[in-house]
Amino acid sequence: MNLPWSIGNDRWFVQHAANDQWIVGSLHETMYLLNRETRHVWFLDCFYGDPTCAIVAENEQWILMGGDHLSLYDIFKGHLSEIDLPWVFAMRQTDTWKAEILTDPWHEDAAVWAIDVQTKELHLSRRFPDYIDQPYTEDVIW
C-alpha cells in the first residue's frame, strides 16, 4: 500500500531509524517505511501500543521493528515476518545479518537476545536484571 509522504510530517510521527535512503517510523500503533528518494511510504506492521524501536540494516536489506512483538521486514522481497519475542525495548545491529534485542528492562524476565535475521533464530545472550525495581529512563545502558 502506497501512502502519502505527508505521514512523515505528522507531529505525532516518531522516527525510529533512518539512513540516506530510508526512514522507519511510527504513527500511533503503526510502523511505516518511507523512501527518501521516491517519497513512497509503505505500511509495515501494527503493534499493540506504540512501537518502541527499529533498525535499518547497514546493507539496507532488512529492518527490525520492536514493541509488543518483534518483526523482521525484508526490504527487497517486501516480506514481513513476526518473531515470537514480546516487549522489545531496544535493538542494535551487531553484524551484517545479526542484531541484539533488549526486552523490557523493568520486567523480571528482562534479557538481551541475539537474532540471526537470515534464519530468524533467537538465542538468549544474557539475563538483564540491571533495571528491575529502578525508575523508568529512556537511556538504558546495556
Side-chain angles (χ1 to χ4, degrees), residues 27-136:
L27 187 57
H28 306 296
E29 297 181 337
T30 307
M31 194 73 87
Y32 297 96
L33 174 64
L34 293 74
N35 184 302
R36 292 181 194 265
E37 184 179 318
T38 65
R39 299 177 67 85
H40 283 95
V41 178
W42 295 271
F43 160 83
L44 290 177
D45 199 3
C46 283
F47 291 78
Y48 175 76
D50 292 335
T52 55
C53 54
I55 54 175
V56 178
E58 291 173 5
N59 65 11
E60 298 184 347
Q61 294 189 23
W62 52 272
I63 296 168
L64 273 179
M65 300 163 280
D68 72 308
H69 65 273
L70 178 66
S71 290
L72 171 64
Y73 182 72
D74 183 316
I75 294 174
F76 293 105
K77 292 180 182 175
H79 184 261
L80 180 72
S81 302
E82 189 171 320
I83 298 163
D84 187 23
L85 185 65
W87 308 116
V88 174
F89 180 80
M91 56 183 62
R92 58 189 173 208
Q93 185 174 354
T94 57
D95 200 349
T96 303
W97 300 103
K98 294 181 178 162
E100 287 184 329
I101 299 135
L102 174 64
T103 57
D104 182 352
W106 296 274
H107 191 274
E108 63 187 25
D109 293 328
V112 177
W113 293 83
I115 185 169
D116 180 321
V117 298
Q118 291 179 303
T119 63
K120 300 180 187 119
E121 290 182 18
L122 281 171
H123 299 282
L124 177 64
S125 292
R126 63 185 167 94
R127 297 284 175 204
F128 190 78
D130 306 32
Y131 286 77
I132 295 174
D133 297 326
Q134 298 297 317
Y136 179 84

